[in-house]
């Protein structure tokens, strides 16, 4: 149990106790740690007698997540569509800055709504009086397990399923840096409670379409290496996306960079996808987070993330963006 969580748990519970109606929001391009943490928090808060609304935020919830318990109750609205006056507390999960809540427009929190932020990304300056940032944890869902334990919330099957799937995904199946003995102990506790955890994983991972595989094929075909062959960048153009009939890349961009780590000599890998003309989504992975901290690279372009996994949206043509990344990587890393 992290001392930070122990220290912050009572203050967050005090915010919850004084709230009547609580808002939760999935982050843009939500991953299972975002959706799972929102849904687990919803069930936990409801067990404390609170009225809770989860909104989908900017993006659609991927079909592959719709079997997470509670997912069908996620309200189909973004931050700017929901009536904020109905809520007196907003708990932001798996997000460390206001501009990560929505990319659609600047997020302004009304004075009638308190804000609590709970996250495991590299800390940015605190923007709320009550924030819990524990960046040594591999998933927001793992923070929530400890937080709920501190609160005395009973972890039922609904909460356990959502926490488990978030932890499983953000740790790359319990193997990324940051995964600890505690992660495994908590996972063990959770799988004891979940009716069928292998089904939970399988339904999420094996619910793709032929277009998903075609996307990976396109990305892997377009890989070029730089900096002595140690930086590898894949690229999928907007024209490629149109040709493949892919409107929403979901987790495929991050999936591409994760799989590119398989090549021994590629120390830093990046998957670049032109989401709309002139807007390149970049997902980076590092094999050695100490020597090649990719969160520094993405922060140079206004993004963020973890030392070993980080992302950013960069404007420009594919060639321009590749040039910028290669130049910055050359400057930052000793390659
Ligand atoms: Mn996360």
């Amino acid at each position: 149990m992290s001392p930070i969580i122990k220290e912050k748990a009572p203050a967050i519970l005090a915010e919850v106790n004084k709230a009547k109606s609580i808002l939760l929001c999935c982050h843009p391009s939500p991953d299972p740690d975002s959706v799972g943490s929102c849904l687990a928090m919803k069930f936990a808060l409801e067990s404390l007698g609170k009225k809770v609304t989860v909104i989908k935020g900017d993006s659609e919830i991927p079909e592959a997540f719709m079997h997470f318990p509670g997912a069908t109750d996620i309200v189909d609205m973004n931050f700017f569509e929901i009536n904020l006056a109905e809520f007196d507390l907003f708990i932001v999960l798996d997000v460390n800055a206001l501009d990560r809540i929505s990319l659609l427009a600047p997020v302004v929190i009304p004075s009638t709504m308190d804000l609590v932020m709970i996250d495991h990304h590299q800390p940015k300056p605190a923007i709320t009086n009550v924030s819990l940032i524990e960046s040594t944890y591999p998933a927001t869902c793992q923070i929530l397990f400890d937080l709920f334990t501190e609160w005395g919330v009973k972890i039922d099957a609904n909460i356990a399923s959502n926490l488990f799937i978030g932890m499983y995904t953000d740790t790359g199946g319990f193997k990324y840096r940051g995964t600890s003995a505690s992660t495994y102990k908590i996972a063990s506790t959770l799988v004891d409670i979940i009716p069928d955890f292998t089904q939970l994983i399988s339904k999420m991972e094996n619910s793709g379409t032929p277009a998903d595989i075609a996307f990976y094929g396109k990305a892997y075909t377009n890989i070029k290496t730089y900096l002595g062959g140690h930086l590898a960048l894949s690229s999928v153009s907007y024209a490629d996306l149109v040709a493949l009939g892919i409107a929403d890349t979901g987790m495929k961009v991050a999936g591409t960079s994760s799989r590119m780590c398989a090549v021994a000599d590629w120390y830093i890998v990046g998957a670049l996808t032109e989401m709309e003309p002139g807007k390149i989504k970049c997902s980076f992975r590092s094999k050695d987070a100490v020597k090649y901290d990719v969160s520094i690279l993405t922060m140079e372009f206004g993004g963020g993330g973890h030392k070993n996994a980080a992302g950013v949206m960069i404007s420009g043509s594919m060639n321009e963006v590749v040039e910028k990344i290669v130049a910055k990587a050359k400057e930052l890393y000793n390659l």
Side-chain angles (χ1 to χ4, degrees):
M1 169 78 69
S2 139
I4 302 172
I5 299 175
K6 247 189 175 349
E7 181 203 321
K8 298 278 185 159
I12 298 174
L13 187 59
E15 289 289 330
V16 167
N17 283 337
K18 71 177 192 197
K20 287 196 176 65
S21 182
I22 302 171
L23 177 66
L24 307 172
C25 177
C26 300
H27 67 54
S29 305
D31 54 22
D33 195 33
S34 168
V35 177
S37 60
C38 283
L39 293 174
M41 180 59 90
K42 177 176 190 279
F43 286 115
L45 295 172
E46 284 172 348
S47 79
L48 298 171
K50 299 298 165 183
K51 188 172 170 283
V52 186
T53 302
V54 182
I55 56 172
K56 72 175 171 68
D58 284 12
S59 315
E60 294 305 316
I61 305 297
E63 196 52 43
F65 306 169
M66 290 313 289
H67 67 289
F68 299 178
T72 50
D73 293 333
I74 296 175
V75 177
D76 190 19
M77 283 190 193
N78 67 43
F79 182 80
F80 302 98
E81 290 166 336
I82 190 98
N83 180 10
L84 298 176
E86 289 174 10
F87 303 95
D88 45 14
L89 177 62
F90 182 23
I91 303 181
V92 178
L93 298 161
D94 205 34
V95 151
N96 64 353
L98 283 186
D99 60 9
R100 287 290 301 141
I101 295 168
S102 174
L103 307 174
L104 300 171
V107 168
V108 179
I109 307 294
S111 59
T112 50
M113 194 166 76
D114 286 322
L115 181 68
V116 166
M117 188 171 273
I118 301 173
D119 191 26
H120 69 121
H121 293 91
Q122 296 296 327
K124 290 199 174 175
I127 51 122
T128 163
N129 40 354
V130 187
S131 64
L132 165 53
I133 308 287
E134 177 45 282
S135 56
T136 67
Y137 273 38
T140 299
C141 281
Q142 187 175 326
I143 298 176
L144 293 191
F145 178 89
D146 281 353
L147 185 67
F148 297 163
T149 304
E150 281 296 293
W151 286 356
V153 164
K154 183 180 179 299
I155 309 285
D156 64 10
N158 288 333
I159 295 176
S161 298
N162 280 296
L163 293 182
F164 177 81
I165 204 74
M167 286 172 59
Y168 172 84
T169 308
D170 260 28
T171 56
F174 304 113
K175 63 177 181 280
Y176 292 163
R177 225 183 145 81
T179 307
S180 64
S182 300
T183 312
Y184 277 92
K185 282 181 192 148
I186 292 168
S188 160
T189 302
L190 296 175
V191 298
D192 247 351
I193 303 168
I194 301 166
D196 188 343
F197 77 94
T198 56
Q199 266 294 97
L200 185 67
I201 297 169
S202 176
K203 278 192 187 172
M204 176 185 70
E205 290 189 338
N206 304 327
S207 62
T209 63
D212 292 339
I213 296 294
F215 175 90
Y216 289 120
K218 183 57 83 178
Y220 298 147
T221 306
N222 295 330
I223 292 177
K224 287 195 180 117
T225 60
Y226 308 88
L227 306 184
H230 298 310
L231 168 68
L233 301 176
S234 74
S235 63
V236 176
S237 70
Y238 183 70
D240 291 334
L241 283 187
V242 172
L244 293 168
I246 294 175
D248 183 1
T249 53
M251 292 174 65
K252 289 192 281 294
V253 182
T256 303
S257 58
S258 293
R259 287 176 177 89
M260 286 168 66
C261 289
V263 177
D265 279 347
W266 298 351
Y267 302 159
I268 306 161
V269 299
L272 278 51
T273 302
E274 192 177 18
M275 307 300 287
E276 49 186 278
K279 283 219 179 304
I280 316 283
K281 183 176 182 173
C282 310
S283 167
F284 294 97
R285 296 287 181 272
S286 166
K287 293 270 247 314
D288 185 332
V290 178
K291 280 191 194 160
Y292 315 113
D293 174 349
V294 285
S295 70
I296 298 175
L297 178 66
T298 55
M299 273 189 248
E300 292 279 347
F301 298 104
H306 309 279
K307 291 178 180 181
N308 59 323
V312 65
M313 190 77 86
I314 308 177
S315 295
S317 72
M318 186 62 81
N319 285 341
E320 286 165 359
V321 170
V322 167
E323 268 177 38
K324 280 186 201 173
I325 291 169
V326 173
K328 193 49 82 179
K330 194 175 162 68
E331 186 186 310
L332 290 173
Y333 309 121
N334 193 17
L335 278 175

Coordinates of all heavy atoms in Angstrom, one line a residue, residues 8 41-42 54 57 72-73 84 99 113 123 160 166 168 190 204 217 220 263 269 292 304 330:
K8 N -3.9 10.2 1.3 CA -5.0 11.0 0.6 C -6.4 10.4 0.7 O -7.3 11.1 0.5 CB -4.6 11.0 -0.9 CG -3.3 11.7 -1.2 CD -3.5 13.2 -1.2 CE -2.2 13.9 -1.7 NZ -2.4 15.2 -2.2
M41 N -15.1 2.8 -10.0 CA -15.4 3.9 -9.1 C -16.9 4.1 -9.0 O -17.4 4.4 -7.9 CB -14.7 5.2 -9.6 CG -14.9 6.4 -8.7 SD -14.4 6.2 -7.0 CE -12.7 6.8 -7.1
K42 N -17.6 4.0 -10.1 CA -19.1 4.1 -10.1 C -19.7 3.1 -9.1 O -20.5 3.5 -8.2 CB -19.6 3.9 -11.5 CG -21.2 4.0 -11.5 CD -21.6 3.9 -13.0 CE -23.1 4.2 -13.2 NZ -24.0 3.1 -12.9
V54 N -21.5 8.1 -15.3 CA -20.3 8.0 -16.1 C -20.6 8.5 -17.5 O -21.5 7.9 -18.1 CB -19.7 6.6 -16.1 CG1 -18.4 6.5 -17.0 CG2 -19.5 6.0 -14.8
G57 N -17.3 10.8 -22.7 CA -16.2 11.7 -23.0 C -16.2 11.9 -24.5 O -17.1 11.7 -25.3
T72 N -22.7 -0.7 -20.2 CA -23.9 -0.3 -21.0 C -24.6 0.9 -20.4 O -25.5 1.5 -21.0 CB -24.9 -1.5 -21.2 OG1 -25.1 -2.0 -19.9 CG2 -24.4 -2.6 -22.1
D73 N -24.2 1.2 -19.1 CA -24.8 2.4 -18.4 C -24.1 3.7 -18.7 O -24.4 4.7 -18.2 CB -24.9 2.2 -16.9 CG -25.9 1.1 -16.5 OD1 -26.8 0.8 -17.3 OD2 -25.7 0.4 -15.5
L84 N -23.4 20.3 -16.4 CA -22.5 20.2 -15.2 C -23.2 20.7 -13.9 O -22.7 20.4 -12.8 CB -21.2 21.0 -15.5 CG -20.4 20.5 -16.7 CD1 -19.2 21.4 -16.9 CD2 -19.9 19.1 -16.5
D99 N -6.5 19.5 -19.6 CA -6.5 19.4 -21.1 C -6.5 17.9 -21.6 O -6.6 17.7 -22.7 CB -5.4 20.2 -21.7 CG -4.0 19.8 -21.3 OD1 -3.9 18.8 -20.7 OD2 -3.1 20.6 -21.7
M113 N -18.8 22.8 -8.7 CA -18.4 21.4 -8.8 C -17.0 21.2 -8.2 O -16.0 21.9 -8.7 CB -18.5 21.0 -10.3 CG -18.4 19.5 -10.5 SD -18.9 19.0 -12.2 CE -17.5 19.5 -13.1
P123 N 3.4 13.2 -12.8 CA 2.7 14.3 -12.2 C 2.9 15.6 -13.0 O 4.0 15.9 -13.5 CB 3.1 14.5 -10.8 CG 4.4 13.7 -10.7 CD 4.4 12.7 -11.8
A160 N -14.4 -5.8 -9.0 CA -13.2 -6.6 -9.3 C -12.9 -6.8 -10.8 O -11.8 -6.7 -11.2 CB -13.4 -8.0 -8.6
G166 N -8.4 -3.3 -16.2 CA -7.6 -2.1 -16.3 C -6.2 -2.4 -15.9 O -5.2 -1.9 -16.6
Y168 N -4.7 -5.4 -15.9 CA -4.2 -6.3 -16.9 C -3.7 -5.6 -18.2 O -2.6 -5.8 -18.7 CB -5.3 -7.3 -17.3 CG -4.9 -8.2 -18.5 CD1 -4.2 -9.4 -18.2 CD2 -5.3 -7.9 -19.8 CE1 -3.8 -10.2 -19.3 CE2 -4.9 -8.7 -20.8 CZ -4.2 -9.9 -20.6 OH -3.8 -10.7 -21.6
L190 N -8.4 -10.3 -7.0 CA -9.5 -10.0 -7.9 C -10.0 -11.2 -8.7 O -11.2 -11.4 -8.8 CB -9.0 -8.9 -8.9 CG -8.7 -7.6 -8.2 CD1 -8.1 -6.6 -9.3 CD2 -9.9 -6.9 -7.5
M204 N -12.3 -9.2 -24.6 CA -11.7 -7.9 -25.0 C -10.7 -8.0 -26.1 O -10.7 -7.3 -27.0 CB -11.1 -7.3 -23.7 CG -10.4 -6.0 -24.0 SD -9.5 -5.3 -22.6 CE -8.2 -6.5 -22.4
G217 N -1.0 -4.7 -40.5 CA -0.2 -5.1 -41.7 C 0.3 -3.9 -42.3 O 1.5 -3.8 -42.7
Y220 N 3.1 -2.2 -40.1 CA 4.3 -3.0 -40.0 C 5.1 -2.9 -41.4 O 6.3 -3.0 -41.4 CB 4.1 -4.4 -39.6 CG 3.5 -4.6 -38.2 CD1 2.6 -5.6 -37.9 CD2 3.8 -3.7 -37.2 CE1 2.1 -5.7 -36.7 CE2 3.3 -3.8 -36.0 CZ 2.4 -4.8 -35.7 OH 1.9 -4.9 -34.5
V263 N 11.3 -6.4 -31.5 CA 12.6 -6.4 -32.3 C 13.7 -6.0 -31.3 O 13.7 -4.8 -30.8 CB 12.5 -5.5 -33.5 CG1 13.9 -5.5 -34.2 CG2 11.4 -6.0 -34.5
V269 N 10.5 2.7 -30.0 CA 9.7 2.5 -31.2 C 8.5 3.5 -31.1 O 8.1 3.9 -30.0 CB 9.1 1.1 -31.2 CG1 10.3 0.1 -31.4 CG2 8.3 0.7 -30.0
Y292 N 16.1 5.7 -22.1 CA 15.3 6.3 -23.1 C 13.9 6.6 -22.6 O 13.0 5.8 -22.8 CB 15.2 5.4 -24.4 CG 16.6 4.9 -24.8 CD1 16.9 3.5 -24.7 CD2 17.6 5.7 -25.2 CE1 18.1 3.0 -25.1 CE2 18.8 5.2 -25.6 CZ 19.1 3.9 -25.5 OH 20.3 3.4 -25.8
G304 N 2.3 13.5 -23.2 CA 2.6 13.0 -21.9 C 2.6 11.5 -21.8 O 2.5 10.9 -22.8
K330 N 17.3 12.4 -31.3 CA 18.8 12.5 -31.5 C 19.3 13.4 -30.4 O 20.4 13.2 -29.8 CB 19.1 13.0 -32.9 CG 20.6 12.9 -33.3 CD 20.7 13.4 -34.7 CE 22.1 13.7 -35.1 NZ 23.0 12.6 -35.2

